[in-house]
Amino acid sequence: MQGLKKEWEIEPHEQHHEKADYAGAMPRWCPGCGDHSALNAVKRLCYEKQLPPERTVVVSGIGCSSRFPHYMKTYGFHGLHGRAFPVACGVKSRRPDLHVFMVTGDGDCCAIGAGHWIHALRYNMDITVILLDNNVYGLTKNQTSPTTRLGEHTNTHPRGAIIPPLSPLTVALGVANTSFVAQTVDWNPAHVFNCIEAAHAHRGTSFVRILQRCPHFSAHVFDAPVHDPSLLLMLEHENGVGLEPDKLKKLPNRMGHDPANLEEARAIAAREDVYPIGLLYRNEHAACYDDFTSHGLSMTQLEKQTAIRAAIDKFAI
Amino acid sequence: MQATIPEAAPVTVQSAKNVDEHIIEIVSDSGEGAQTCGQLFADLCARNGNGIWTVEIIPAEIEPPKRSRAGASGNRIRIGSHAITNAGDCADIVVAFNEQVLYSRIDSGALRPGTIVYVDGSWLADSDERVVEQYRAAIADFRARGYQVIPLPIVEECLRYADDVRKGKNIWVLGLLCAIYDLEEARVQESIAKKFGKKGPDAVKKNAQLFTAGYQWALKHVEQRFHVAPIAGAGTRAQVVMNGNQAIALGIMSAGIEVCSMYPITPATSASHFLAAAFEQTGGIVHQAEDEIAAIGFAIGCSYAGKTAVTITSGPGLALKTEFIGYAVMAEVPLVIVVVQRGGPSTGLPTKVEQGDLLAALHASPGDAPKIVMAPATIEECFHFMITARKLAEEFRGPVMVLSDANLATGQQPFAKPEFDPNWLAAPLDMSPWEHETPPFAWDPETGLSRRPIPGQRGGEYVLTGLAHDEHSHVAYESSINQRAMKMRSRKLAVLQSALRPPVAHGGDEGDLLVVGWGSTLGTIEEAVDRLRTEGGKVSSVHLRFFSPMEPGLKAIFRRFRKVMTVEVNYSDDAGDPWITEDSRRYSPLAQMLRSHTLTDVDCWSRVPGSPIPPEMIVTELRKVLDGMGRGEDVCRG
């Protein structure tokens, strides 16, 4: 409990939660939307780890993906377009006891929120970030996003997107103090779960990009890797994100990659011939801003009172 | 440098003349320490028991070109044998490290004929002919303007004790001023030892020598010395002295706020500087965000998780924060937002005073976003308002904006030492289970007030949203729900207004003219009113602290005066200017508010000089208004 001495802390009663306990409102995403797969994975994680719903907070911005918190029965914060990162950091700042998840989309994260994205990666607070990247603005009906492929037709670029897309992976891997970068695809729920599980286990900002199909505006974009699994490059390592053997068999294109190897991670992220999936990078030793923001939490009211009186006294004449 | 300055002849030093108050300015090129000198002098006067008010004179750049008019850096200190509430009118004594920086003060109207001008005469010996010529021309000009010009051998004197005179002049001048104002040398030496103690014994010794040299030089050469007696009874009450930003920072700590989330912006940043250094001891942190939007987002996240946070900014930052402010209103997140106003619009006058953000604070959000807006009028209020602000934010579940300004931020004033009360601190987080049947927005149908669940409270799980929502925080687009939720959020302000007392007029309860002001102009306006009342003017003033909700009872107060007008450090069109008609005239922000709020024909007089408006300028304007009223012109049609 915040602001109180350890010995006064009241431990909440242990309580077992069923999977249904984590289910909030009925999702209103379109049938076939890739977001469902991320929602199922997060619910399953909460259940398997028995995260107390009252100590779990899901923060989001604006967009289809950002409706996520409404579909969980935990604490949630459905905020402003592009601003989920600072809110999530603020939630965590004085509440190290909370499990903070953050869900964002390619517009929310890579366009309007790009500044916050970069800095949040650098702060490296203990937050699990899920980027649901469908390469398009869905909620506002088919506009170009920063990850839209060159030449894709959208309502804002009816003759085709003009500028090559940015890669969330290379951007994330280019930020100083980034500590966890993984990628997965919505049509492989087992791998989605494994990535989110590893992300949650990591202390620091874990960034998971999920390639996610929008059945209305961008399903075709991912036709190739959906139908040809060899276009997915499965990254394998004992410290990486694995997959059960029977599921692994369906991914013929695999390579060994040590997630401690940043240079190789960057090279893999930059490949345009395949979609790498798995853990690109993890650094357990990166500085966590939480260590700073949680300063003073163990002070008692009495200690504070004495310190404040002393601070005022310094101005006495 | 050749020593061609004639040695000043010793004078017959008279005993110090008693004066009730004096205004002193110290100006130099940036980096020569005139500000430190001014602050030390002000601090010494405050310790001496004098009333003081200081104004920083700040150039826009860190180190502008030397000897440039716009580069003036320093301090104005008004000291008195009574409480001093504002910067006053023209300076009695000015000390200038070069003659060029003095011109910016002349341009600001800070000097009058008769002002004693001490200026470093060493420039006469400068190797650059142009400098010598500039100096000669300026001194002749100063004398023609009627100033009493007295050259000082600052550089020459300082070279005896310091190699780098740029770092020593200010302490020599401090010695000079302390001798002129009859301050006890031994006591000042103590302060110097304290100030420079951290830099080691050599620094203490050097500065002590410089101080003594200035002090002794003045005793030998300065004819006019002054004595400003301490305030009667000074020393019997515990006092503190600080500037408004320090007061806000101490207020933040004392309110039990643990997080100050900010992005650097003048003139707000110094509050965060002080907090960054001192917050740690009281268990708090300063988060320097990547931008203004992130700063408020972080604060809102922290508040949502149970710890009401503060974000500090100035006008341009406020503009960037407005979307989140609307969110805090809509989602009812307690939050304290401090706006230290500066000159606008746009980047405007970053280091200068203005009160231009009042309407932005109230209205700069899409849709109807009712929030609490308050403004301290003194440095003491800067402290106490922070404690009130956090409580109001939590009680009324929403953002509270506190408007300060550059004048309060950098001005120093003594006030009664706050007696810390443990009740000022926020209560520890309540982690007890939430009653399942209570929704997260269980608006009391009468008051609109509700309690909020905090993450950690079992059974209170809900999703905060900036979308229209019902009492369960469920997204709701139904018109009846939206109307009701808007009503509930607005009702809270009416409830708060019912708890406020009507303001009390300074002067008298009725009369010809009522002046309405707000913020840092309190002392100036009241001093102007007092001066006019001594000459028989039926003038009073009220000073507002709350704008949303508006303080109650204004219309009834206004009715007792023939005319009501605001005085603001803001822009307004002057009646009678080309193209300005009753129809087209744009009023200053407070006047606009009061006109719509009270349906009274509130007039205004406002100026944007980038510096505090002197009381005598207000007296002159109000006298014109009173004279006009005597002729039956332009009275209220309330």
Side-chain angles (χ1 to χ4, degrees):
Chain A
M1 195 191 292
Q2 306 311 302
L4 293 184
K5 279 272 192 202
K6 194 80 183 157
E7 56 265 32
W8 300 350
E9 196 165 313
I10 301 161
E11 286 299 330
H13 315 287
E14 291 296 323
Q15 187 173 335
H16 180 76
H17 296 283
E18 295 302 331
K19 204 169 171 188
D21 291 349
Y22 298 98
M26 182 66 79
R28 294 168 65 89
W29 291 315
C30 306
C33 174
D35 291 350
H36 292 284
S37 119
L39 179 64
N40 289 335
V42 172
K43 280 188 202 158
R44 184 180 150 200
L45 178 82
C46 290
Y47 169 69
E48 289 193 3
K49 303 291 170 197
Q50 284 293 302
L51 305 186
E54 72 274 16
R55 292 197 187 258
T56 305
V57 181
V58 185
V59 179
S60 68
I62 293 292
C64 286
S65 56
S66 291
R67 289 301 179 100
F68 199 110
H70 292 281
Y71 310 143
M72 296 285 298
K73 202 172 183 330
T74 61
Y75 279 91
F77 191 116
H78 181 203
L80 294 179
H81 196 27
R83 317 300 173 201
F85 281 105
V87 169
C89 291
V91 169
K92 189 73 185 174
S93 64
R94 302 298 278 177
R95 295 296 305 275
D97 58 317
L98 299 177
H99 299 272
V100 180
F101 293 85
M102 201 204 97
V103 182
T104 183
D106 40 316
D108 200 56
C109 175
C110 309
I112 191 169
H116 306 311
W117 171 33
I118 286 166
H119 290 280
L121 290 174
R122 206 179 130 240
Y123 296 140
N124 191 36
M125 298 184 75
D126 191 9
I127 294 164
T128 305
V129 177
I130 298 166
L131 166 62
L132 290 161
D133 186 351
N134 58 10
N135 288 20
V136 75
Y137 285 75
L139 194 62
T140 49
K141 310 281 190 291
N142 197 25
Q143 292 87 18
T144 312
S145 98
T147 59
T148 302
R149 282 194 312 202
L150 194 64
E152 283 297 325
H153 299 261
T154 67
N155 284 335
T156 41
H157 294 98
R159 286 169 295 284
I162 301 156
I163 315 270
L166 69 70
S167 156
L169 297 181
T170 59
V171 172
L173 288 166
V175 176
N177 209 43
T178 289
S179 72
F180 186 106
V181 178
Q183 175 158 281
T184 182
V185 293
D186 79 49
W187 57 93
N188 192 332
H191 193 258
V192 170
F193 176 80
N194 290 353
C195 279
I196 290 176
E197 186 185 38
H200 177 254
H202 172 71
R203 181 170 187 256
T205 300
S206 27
F207 180 71
V208 182
R209 180 196 189 202
I210 303 181
L211 302 178
Q212 173 249 324
R213 296 162 297 173
C214 169
H216 279 274
F217 304 122
S218 70
H220 64 283
V221 170
F222 303 105
D223 273 352
V226 168
H227 294 116
D228 178 5
S230 71
L231 288 174
L232 300 177
L233 176 64
M234 174 72 189
L235 305 177
E236 290 185 299
H237 193 270
E238 53 182 346
N239 297 327
V241 172
L243 203 53
E244 294 69 13
D246 56 320
K247 289 168 179 136
L248 197 57
K249 274 194 293 196
K250 296 175 185 155
L251 296 168
N253 192 359
R254 304 197 282 265
M255 78 173 274
H257 165 63
D258 180 354
N261 188 340
L262 180 60
E263 216 162 300
E264 189 175 78
R266 285 175 176 159
I268 294 168
R271 283 182 67 170
E272 292 184 357
D273 55 331
V274 289
Y275 297 87
I277 63 169
L279 183 58
L280 284 98
Y281 182 64
R282 174 168 52 208
N283 176 7
E284 281 152 345
H285 309 293
C288 290
Y289 192 55
D290 323 40
D291 293 343
F292 167 76
T293 65
S294 54
H295 167 83
L297 283 175
S298 59
M299 277 180 89
T300 64
Q301 296 286 86
L302 201 63
E303 284 166 346
K304 282 185 197 174
Q305 290 169 25
T306 311
I308 293 165
R309 285 201 173 93
I312 295 172
D313 280 343
K314 286 196 181 140
F315 290 89
I317 53 171
Chain B
M1 192 180 290
Q2 309 134 358
T4 56
I5 319 161
E7 169 76 7
V11 294
T12 321
V13 175
Q14 296 152 5
S15 62
K17 178 181 163 195
N18 279 310
V19 288
D20 186 43
E21 61 162 86
H22 244 211
I23 297 171
I24 302 102
E25 288 200 358
I26 308 148
V27 284
S28 69
D29 283 340
S30 203
E32 291 188 312
Q35 278 181 11
T36 306
C37 175
Q39 282 156 10
L40 282 171
F41 182 67
D43 196 55
L44 291 166
C45 293
R47 283 171 200 277
N48 190 46
N50 293 121
I52 63 158
W53 183 278
T54 73
V55 181
E56 279 184 13
I57 299 159
I58 318 170
E61 297 86 14
I62 301 292
E63 199 166 333
K66 296 190 193 343
R67 295 175 48 78
S68 63
R69 287 186 177 206
S73 168
N75 238 300
R76 157 177 281 227
I77 307 114
R78 185 181 180 195
I79 60 175
S81 48
H82 52 88
I84 299 291
T85 62
N86 67 83
D89 298 306
C90 291
D92 296 289
I93 288 189
V94 177
V95 185
F97 291 19
N98 70 64
E99 78 292 344
Q100 293 302 312
V101 292
L102 198 60
Y103 271 109
S104 76
R105 303 308 301 150
I106 294 170
D107 294 345
S108 315
L111 279 70
R112 57 167 166 76
T115 298
I116 301 171
V117 171
Y118 287 102
V119 58
D120 191 355
S122 314
W123 301 104
L124 201 52
D126 200 271
S127 55
D128 186 341
E129 264 308 307
R130 285 167 302 181
V131 169
V132 175
E133 195 39 51
Q134 273 182 350
Y135 176 82
R136 285 216 170 94
I139 298 301
D141 180 38
F142 295 164
R143 293 208 160 109
R145 289 169 186 262
Y147 311 148
Q148 306 181 51
V149 182
I150 303 170
L152 299 171
I154 303 184
V155 170
E156 195 186 306
E157 281 279 314
C158 291
L159 276 174
R160 298 185 192 176
Y161 310 99
D163 304 327
D164 181 5
V165 288
R166 273 177 67 79
K167 303 283 175 209
K169 291 181 194 181
N170 60 342
I171 300 301
W172 190 88
V173 168
L174 181 67
L176 176 96
L177 284 172
C178 287
I180 292 176
Y181 286 98
D182 208 21
L183 294 170
E184 219 181 298
E185 191 185 349
R187 202 156 157 194
V188 184
Q189 291 284 16
E190 265 172 48
S191 294
I192 289 176
K194 209 167 137 192
K195 168 88 185 170
F196 296 98
K198 268 185 244 156
K199 294 185 178 171
D202 285 352
V204 174
K205 189 178 159 208
K206 190 189 82 177
N207 283 295
Q209 284 173 336
L210 284 164
F211 177 85
T212 305
Y215 197 92
Q216 292 304 324
W217 191 92
L219 288 185
K220 231 187 276 171
H221 299 288
V222 172
E223 261 180 279
Q224 302 184 67
R225 294 168 57 230
F226 304 94
H227 181 77
V228 185
I231 300 174
T236 56
R237 300 157 296 147
Q239 296 247 301
V240 285
V241 63
M242 65 185 77
N243 68 36
N245 274 0
Q246 288 167 330
I248 283 172
L250 276 180
I252 287 169
M253 290 179 185
S254 304
I257 293 172
E258 293 174 10
V259 171
C260 168
S261 179
M262 52 72 74
Y263 182 80
I265 187 167
T266 304
T269 313
S270 67
S272 309
H273 288 180
F274 171 68
L275 274 178
F279 217 175
E280 207 169 293
Q281 279 92 52
T282 63
I285 59 147
V286 174
H287 169 58
Q288 181 183 332
E290 63 270 24
D291 61 33
E292 293 279 1
I293 298 172
I296 186 172
F298 188 98
I300 287 178
C302 181
S303 288
Y304 164 78
K307 301 278 189 166
T308 301
V310 63
T311 184
I312 303 189
T313 190
S314 187
L318 170 63
L320 288 166
K321 291 181 192 301
T322 51
E323 190 185 11
F324 256 130
I325 294 172
Y327 185 96
V329 171
M330 183 59 143
E332 304 192 49
V333 183
L335 177 70
V336 178
I337 303 155
V338 177
V339 181
V340 185
Q341 301 166 97
R342 63 191 220 183
S346 189
T347 314
L349 300 169
T351 59
K352 313 282 190 186
V353 63
E354 202 178 293
Q355 303 180 304
D357 297 339
L358 180 59
L359 296 179
L362 279 156
H363 301 302
S365 242
D368 182 54
K371 63 190 86 73
I372 297 170
V373 178
M374 57 202 280
T378 64
I379 290 165
E380 183 174 19
E381 287 178 7
C382 285
F383 175 87
H384 290 282
F385 274 35
M386 298 314 297
I387 294 146
T388 311
R390 184 194 58 77
K391 294 222 165 182
L392 291 178
E394 289 175 2
E395 193 92 357
F396 290 87
R397 199 175 170 179
V400 175
M401 305 198 57
V402 180
L403 301 181
S404 173
D405 65 39
N407 192 21
L408 288 172
T410 60
Q412 277 181 293
Q413 199 191 22
F415 58 88
K417 186 179 144 189
E419 275 314 317
F420 177 77
D421 179 343
N423 289 320
W424 290 349
L425 293 180
L429 288 190
D430 177 6
M431 290 286 120
S432 61
W434 184 259
E435 314 83 54
H436 270 285
E437 61 282 2
T438 307
F441 294 99
W443 296 302
D444 178 310
E446 283 284 311
T447 63
L449 298 173
S450 58
R451 278 176 53 235
R452 65 188 186 122
I454 301 292
Q457 288 193 284
R458 179 179 295 170
E461 296 85 355
Y462 76 111
V463 180
L464 199 70
T465 180
L467 284 162
H469 51 268
D470 64 14
E471 57 185 12
H472 297 280
S473 200
H474 293 157
V475 177
Y477 301 123
E478 293 87 337
S479 55
S480 61
I481 294 176
N482 194 43
Q483 179 71 23
R484 173 159 178 262
M486 295 280 255
K487 191 176 284 212
M488 291 292 93
R489 290 190 292 269
S490 180
R491 185 76 53 79
K492 295 188 286 185
L493 291 186
V495 172
L496 172 56
Q497 197 206 36
S498 74
L500 301 178
R501 273 176 302 216
V504 177
H506 173 83
D509 284 342
E510 54 180 37
D512 289 335
L513 178 60
L514 180 72
V515 176
V516 190
W518 69 287
S520 66
T521 53
L522 171 71
T524 319
I525 290 175
E526 291 191 349
E527 188 166 332
V529 165
D530 291 346
R531 287 187 201 174
L532 282 164
R533 289 181 74 86
T534 56
E535 58 186 64
K538 293 186 181 128
V539 192
S540 298
S541 63
V542 293
H543 213 75
L544 302 179
R545 269 80 168 179
F546 277 88
F547 306 91
S548 175
M550 190 57 104
E551 288 179 33
L554 293 184
K555 194 163 184 167
I557 297 170
F558 290 3
R559 279 207 190 106
R560 299 197 291 266
F561 292 84
R562 290 174 63 209
K563 182 181 172 76
V564 181
M565 67 186 287
T566 68
V567 169
E568 299 172 62
V569 191
N570 268 330
Y571 181 76
S572 61
D573 288 333
D574 287 335
D577 273 0
W579 292 88
I580 304 304
T581 64
E582 205 178 305
D583 218 20
S584 66
R585 184 179 177 204
R586 294 174 62 246
Y587 286 79
S588 55
L590 181 60
Q592 283 183 42
M593 282 187 71
L594 293 175
R595 289 169 72 86
S596 72
H597 183 77
T598 64
L599 290 179
T600 303
D601 189 6
V602 177
D603 198 353
C604 62
W605 178 80
S606 70
R607 284 293 178 271
V608 280
S611 55
I613 297 175
E616 195 55 29
M617 194 185 279
I618 296 175
V619 167
T620 307
E621 288 304 322
L622 298 185
R623 200 183 279 133
K624 275 190 231 162
V625 174
L626 287 168
D627 290 349
M629 289 172 71
R631 295 192 301 270
E633 287 169 11
D634 195 26
V635 286
C636 268
R637 295 172 296 274

